Amino acid sequence: MIAIGADHGGFILKEELIKSFEGELEFKDFGTMGTMSVNYPNIAFKVAESVSSGECEAGILICRSGIGMSICANKVKNIRCANVTTTKAARLCKEHNNANMITLGADDITLEGAKEIIYIWLNSEFQEGRHKERIDLIKEYENKQ
């Protein structure tokens, strides 16, 4: 199951994505449920915590730029969240960083572009090797906090 959440700026894209992936992907929707202004950290933390705990296998967050949500998600232990703007970044964030979450900027992406990024991210595989050593360094530092 994939956790998904958006603030008011990403609500419409979130709804379109859930509908367009119906029958292909199962989502757990953490909101928001409308276009009324909300505090995005509340949603970002819920989605990230669901991934960190293992309740969901991956997470997607959407706001206007993707930046604020990414900052919040990366505050949660065991989360590696990338703000993805291209298909190349979608592939590399999984292959090199084993990103378990991504953020999307609704102002900068179409529904089709978002779908392509999600497909590539979910279907790319972590390459391990030297990349695993780097992830281990991140985890080691995180555990000191």
Side-chain angles (χ1 to χ4, degrees), residues 122-137:
L122 290 175
N123 291 299
S124 295
E125 293 197 24
F126 183 46
Q127 292 182 346
E128 302 214 16
R130 71 182 192 276
H131 305 296
K132 184 181 181 314
E133 292 175 38
R134 295 165 185 162
I135 297 301
D136 289 344
L137 288 170

Side-chain angles (χ1 to χ4, degrees), residues 14-34:
K14 174 183 69 86
E15 294 298 305
E16 290 173 339
L17 283 168
I18 291 170
K19 184 177 180 182
S20 70
F21 279 113
E22 194 170 336
E24 289 181 70
L25 298 175
E26 186 179 356
F27 289 102
K28 181 167 184 177
D29 189 351
F30 286 85
T32 192
M33 302 305 176

